[in-house]
Amino acid sequence: MSLSRSRREVANFKLNTLLEITEAINDNLETSLLLEKYNTILKSELTIGKCMLFNNSKGWQLISNYGFSPDAANNINIENDLASYEDITTVPSFEGKDGNDFDIVIPVFHKEKPMAYVIIGDIDENVQGMSPAIKHLRFIQTLTNIILVAIENQRLYSESLRQEALKKELELASKMQGMLIPDEDSLPKDDDFLFSTYYLPHLQVGGDFFDIIQLSENEIGFCIADVSGKGIAAALLMSNFQASLRALFTKESNLEELVIKLNDIVNRNAKGEKFLTMFLGRYNKVSRNLEYINSAHLPPLLYHHPSKEMNMLESGCIGMGMLDELYNIQVGNIHVKEGSKIICFTDGLTELKFGGEIRDDFINVNQAISNNKSIDENIKSIISQLNNTKDKELIFDDITIVGIQFM
């Protein structure tokens, strides 16, 4: 055979192979089938008896192996055995454990970083002239590069689809959770008290919650709570908790019995993986009595006017879901004077992050409420302080505020 004819055949082989692989890539052939085509080319066309392919997509992984034993890859340390090879290298002296020897290392680089290593062994030397594998090492390198870039693009595309689906799910969850959080128009209107609220989830969905329930003509119930952790799991637990609270909290409810039932529900749903803190209150506008239970929540502040006395509402019990049963539940009772204000909040309001340090004194809630301004003005002032911190990325948790002014 003439040299020119031989070269034409080699060129045609390479061209046809690349066209075949390109068509497979354009047809969006899945990864396993692409690798199957790759192995067929190496085995049938280039008479390579053994081949391992290590890929560095998300950490080094063996993605293809034929000819070598299933455990052969366990005997190869990428950093120690292969990282020193920057070009195609024949290594006849290398012999792995259990007889897993190989002949050639083909490094594949992408943007000057090692993307893959092809390990070749058992080259068929019983052919006339030089083995096809030896003649086409650069082509194998190029072919490997093309296939692995295609596989990585497939992975990135699948990941982008997954992220887009997750984004839509989060957007839907956020909208649904937003429907559960009372808005300004749905808050009870009464000449004897005024509610003002603020809700800011750190992520699209949050683990904070508040609710205000008209129990009877003269009684109002309210709750603020904070689930441990963030994200979807916290939001799901909180949504279930709100539904349970709405179903169980009535004008006939005994607060101690109510928190016992709520604790059982949280335990069943969280299975010990999460808990929540809660402040639960019931106010009677005729007797002006506030009855409450604080379940390990940050104590709300009650500012009496005009005496300027400040009370922390601490009586209660441990958090919901911390233990199977609640013990020593203390129900708080306090007479609310005319003009007094209560502010309830979650720890996202006071705990802001400065570098790696968490400080709990950035927003001084005590100072914010200790004045003659309305509770609505007090909360707007706090929100203004928070808005000034957003660009500094100090906020790292959900923030919820519930304020009440008693006329």
Side-chain angles (χ1 to χ4, degrees):
M1 183 184 297
S2 67
L3 182 60
S4 60
R5 181 181 176 186
S6 176
R7 286 176 176 173
R8 282 198 305 271
E9 288 183 354
V10 169
N12 287 336
F13 161 72
K14 292 180 179 179
L15 179 61
N16 291 335
T17 300
L18 291 176
L19 285 174
E20 182 183 351
I21 292 298
T22 301
E23 288 176 0
I25 292 171
N26 290 338
D27 290 340
N28 201 29
L29 207 64
E30 62 184 65
T31 297
S32 61
L33 296 179
L34 275 177
L35 290 173
E36 187 177 317
K37 278 186 172 292
Y38 174 79
N39 288 338
T40 298
I41 293 168
L42 268 58
K43 189 185 304 182
S44 301
E45 302 295 336
L46 303 179
T47 66
I48 295 173
K50 297 179 181 179
C51 179
M52 282 189 289
L53 177 57
F54 292 90
N55 185 30
N56 188 19
S57 175
K58 298 180 71 174
W60 286 105
Q61 297 179 29
L62 177 70
I63 63 171
S64 178
N65 176 18
Y66 75 83
F68 289 99
S69 72
D71 298 328
N74 298 332
N75 301 320
I76 297 176
N77 182 293
I78 300 294
E79 296 299 326
N80 295 337
D81 298 332
L82 303 178
S84 61
Y85 297 112
E86 298 180 358
D87 203 350
I88 298 171
T89 305
T90 302
V91 284
S93 61
F94 187 95
E95 183 171 317
K97 298 176 184 178
D98 303 321
N100 288 311
D101 57 305
F102 56 81
D103 305 308
I104 297 171
V105 177
I106 303 177
V108 180
F109 286 82
H110 182 66
K111 295 182 179 179
E112 300 181 351
K113 292 185 178 180
M115 177 174 64
Y117 289 101
V118 185
I119 308 299
I120 291 176
D122 195 18
I123 295 174
D124 187 357
E125 297 176 350
N126 298 317
V127 295
Q128 186 176 4
M130 184 183 296
S131 167
I134 301 298
K135 293 190 293 185
H136 299 317
L137 292 178
R138 290 292 178 191
F139 175 69
I140 295 172
Q141 190 178 48
T142 301
L143 182 65
T144 305
N145 197 322
I146 291 171
I147 287 181
L148 291 183
V149 167
I151 290 173
E152 178 65 7
N153 288 339
Q154 284 182 349
R155 187 190 70 81
L156 292 174
Y157 179 68
S158 298
E159 181 68 15
S160 69
L161 291 179
R162 191 187 71 82
Q163 291 291 342
E164 186 62 28
L166 179 59
K167 180 182 177 182
K168 290 181 179 179
E169 289 178 3
L170 285 172
E171 288 174 353
L172 178 60
S174 178
K175 288 179 182 178
M176 294 181 66
Q177 188 176 51
M179 294 170 65
L180 298 175
I181 300 296
D183 58 25
E184 199 71 29
D185 295 334
S186 67
L187 298 179
K189 304 293 191 296
D190 198 289
D191 294 335
D192 296 291
F193 47 76
L194 169 69
F195 280 95
S196 182
T197 62
Y198 178 72
Y199 173 70
L200 178 68
H202 177 63
L203 304 174
Q204 284 183 285
V205 292
D208 277 10
F209 153 78
F210 76 90
D211 206 353
I212 299 163
I213 306 170
Q214 187 80 49
L215 299 174
S216 68
E217 181 181 353
N218 295 323
E219 286 192 327
I220 194 83
F222 59 98
C223 176
I224 187 170
D226 184 1
V227 173
S228 61
K230 305 179 183 68
I232 291 288
L236 288 173
L237 179 59
M238 189 55 77
S239 298
N240 180 274
F241 178 80
Q242 182 194 27
S244 301
L245 178 69
R246 282 261 168 176
L248 297 173
F249 197 5
T250 67
K251 64 180 181 179
E252 292 84 13
S253 294
N254 174 285
L255 289 194
E256 183 173 348
E257 293 176 356
L258 176 58
V259 296
I260 290 173
K261 291 178 182 177
L262 291 173
N263 184 65
D264 290 340
I265 291 170
V266 172
N267 276 320
R268 285 201 305 270
N269 292 327
K271 295 179 173 59
E273 295 179 1
K274 288 188 176 296
F275 64 91
L276 66 85
T277 65
M278 171 192 72
F279 180 87
L280 183 67
R282 175 166 56 196
Y283 175 69
N284 187 302
K285 68 180 185 180
V286 176
S287 65
R288 303 193 70 89
N289 182 68
L290 173 66
E291 181 185 21
Y292 72 88
I293 292 179
N294 186 333
S295 297
H297 197 77
L298 285 176
L301 301 177
L302 172 59
Y303 178 71
H304 293 282
H305 180 77
S307 68
K308 299 182 180 180
E309 179 187 357
M310 184 76 75
N311 290 111
M312 297 177 68
L313 306 182
E314 299 178 293
S315 298
C317 60
I318 62 172
M320 303 287 96
M322 289 182 176
L323 292 176
D324 292 340
E325 296 183 21
L326 299 179
Y327 299 94
N328 300 322
I329 301 173
Q330 297 179 358
V331 180
N333 281 278
I334 192 164
H335 183 74
V336 180
K337 300 173 184 177
E338 183 178 334
S340 298
K341 297 180 286 187
I342 286 179
I343 186 166
C344 313
F345 50 94
T346 56
D347 55 12
L349 176 62
T350 57
E351 294 183 348
L352 284 85
K353 186 176 292 186
F354 295 79
E357 179 186 1
I358 297 175
R359 284 174 45 187
D360 60 2
D361 60 349
F362 187 79
I363 302 294
N364 191 323
V365 182
N366 190 311
Q367 184 178 3
I369 197 176
S370 302
N371 50 58
N372 295 327
K373 297 179 181 179
S374 70
I375 190 65
D376 192 50
E377 290 177 297
N378 293 154
I379 291 178
K380 285 180 179 177
S381 174
I382 292 173
I383 294 171
S384 177
Q385 293 182 64
L386 290 172
N387 288 336
N388 292 334
T389 70
K390 284 184 180 178
D391 291 339
K392 301 172 186 176
E393 298 183 349
L394 303 180
I395 299 171
F396 71 100
D397 201 356
D398 307 323
I399 296 176
T400 301
I401 309 171
V402 176
I404 316 170
Q405 185 156 3
F406 303 91
M407 309 304 182

